[in-house]
Amino acid sequence: MSTPGSSTLAVSRDDVPTGALVSNQGTTSIADTVVSKIAGLAAKDVSGVHALGGGASRAVGALRERIPGGRVNHSQGVSVEVGETQAAVDINLIAEYGVAIADLAAGVRRNVIASVERMTGLQVTEVNIAVADVHLPDEDADDNEDTDSAPRVR
């Protein structure tokens, strides 16, 4: 009830700010693939990450890249859940040998959260990281020897 000389403040739903993705003019929805690509690229940018994905997904990715017209899958090894205002990210990665895995995970988590939140406006609730393997420097030399060697049979 109002008394003479006092005022009441009526707040309608339209006057309440609802966030970067929902406004009076409409809503913005962001696909899971968008968030997974952003997270994948952010994770790869961290020094000490050799590759994303486990053995099977990396093998499929390597085949995809060799096909003419094939493109790199930037969301390989990344799965996400995207809601209206929040996102959760799971990352499967291969670490470089010699890197402190706890520090690597913290760096990946920090970079992914910053990139996803800055680019999408979504709040990242969690980034779970699974280190599937450690890449050894001599593994690259073994791979190159197999592809560059002469055929065994003529």
Side-chain angles (χ1 to χ4, degrees), residues 32-43:
D32 292 4
T33 56
V34 173
V35 176
S36 64
K37 281 184 181 181
I38 293 168
L41 289 168

Side-chain angles (χ1 to χ4, degrees), residues 86-110:
Q86 296 179 327
V89 181
D90 296 323
I91 299 175
N92 191 346
L93 63 82
I94 309 296
E96 291 287 350
Y97 176 76
V99 174
I101 292 176
D103 294 342
L104 177 64
V108 168
R109 190 170 287 115
R110 189 172 38 252

Side-chain angles (χ1 to χ4, degrees), residues 62-125:
L63 287 174
R64 180 183 296 124
E65 290 174 22
R66 290 184 181 166
I67 296 172
R71 297 186 302 185
V72 175
N73 182 5
H74 294 291
S75 59
Q76 173 180 300
V78 179
S79 62
V80 298
E81 286 183 51
V82 179
E84 291 181 16
T85 60
Q86 296 179 327
V89 181
D90 296 323
I91 299 175
N92 191 346
L93 63 82
I94 309 296
E96 291 287 350
Y97 176 76
V99 174
I101 292 176
D103 294 342
L104 177 64
V108 168
R109 190 170 287 115
R110 189 172 38 252
N111 206 32
V112 167
I113 290 170
S115 295
V116 170
E117 288 184 348
R118 179 178 49 82
M119 294 180 72
T120 66
L122 294 168
Q123 176 192 18
V124 178
T125 58

